[in-house]
């Protein structure tokens, strides 16, 4: 058995959960925050049998889209002065960041 930890953009989360559920995958949704943009994103926990791994990855790849987002990165105006001001930086946020873990044991009580 595998556990997928999929970090996706909030815009894709509802559609992705629906698509996964309709194909019989179990999903847990967590409200999370990206460390770089400090913006909300969604993390899904998906526990699956090994034989369904490719199917789940396919659904994630199909539903989730990359988008450009603007981040406010701090910059130092005067070196040594300790004064920082934000300036906009454009970054491409991925459709999904997916970690695949092997599950040692799975039980439901
Ligand atoms: P954030 O940390 O908010 O990052 C959003 C996007 O900003 C990233 O998209 C990337 O394009 C850019 N970015 C991140 N760190 C950067 C840096 N130090 N310098 C320049 N640009 C940077 P993605 O790579 O697609 O990541 C989307 C979200 O997935 C991340 O949101 C974070 O929540 C999660 N994530 C990505 N890689 C991760 C990792 N190795 N471990 C845990 N979470 C990760």
């Amino acid at each position: 058995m595998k556990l997928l930890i999929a970090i996706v953009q909030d815009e894709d989360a509802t559609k992705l959960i629906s698509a996964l559920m309709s194909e019989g995958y179990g999903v847990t949704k967590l409200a999370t925050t990206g460390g770089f943009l400090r913006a909300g994103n969604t993390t899904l926990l998906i526990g699956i049998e090994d034989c369904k791994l490719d199917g789940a990855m396919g659904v994630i790849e199909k539903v989730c889209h990359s988008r450009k987002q603007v981040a406010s990165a701090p910059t130092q105006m005067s070196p040594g002065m300790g004064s920082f001001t934000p300036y906009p930086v454009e970054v491409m946020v991925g459709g999904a960041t997916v970690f695949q873990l092997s599950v040692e044991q799975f039980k439901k009580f």
Side-chain angles (χ1 to χ4, degrees):
M1 186 174 203
K2 298 282 188 278
L3 176 68
L4 298 182
I5 301 174
I7 304 160
V8 304
Q9 295 180 58
D10 287 345
E11 291 90 328
D12 295 323
T14 304
K15 192 175 170 192
L16 179 58
I17 292 167
S18 299
L20 289 167
M21 297 291 292
S22 69
E23 296 201 21
Y25 298 100
V27 182
T28 294
K29 173 181 182 283
L30 305 172
T32 46
T33 303
F36 186 68
L37 292 177
R38 308 288 165 94
N41 54 26
T42 298
T43 299
L44 302 182
L45 305 181
I46 309 158
I48 44 173
E49 298 304 325
D50 289 16
C51 61
K52 291 183 159 184
L53 186 60
D54 290 344
M57 288 287 197
V59 174
I60 296 169
E61 188 176 6
K62 194 168 95 182
V63 172
C64 298
H65 302 289
S66 298
R67 295 181 184 87
K68 282 183 188 165
Q69 285 197 25
V70 176
S72 291
T75 184
Q76 197 166 14
M77 291 299 285
S78 314
M81 298 289 285
S83 165
F84 286 83
T85 188
Y87 70 98
V89 177
E90 201 172 70
V91 293
M92 183 65 81
V93 183
T97 300
V98 184
F99 298 89
Q100 176 185 319
L101 287 71
S102 292
V103 175
E104 202 168 299
Q105 198 174 43
F106 170 67
K107 283 184 188 288
K108 282 188 179 180
F109 296 104

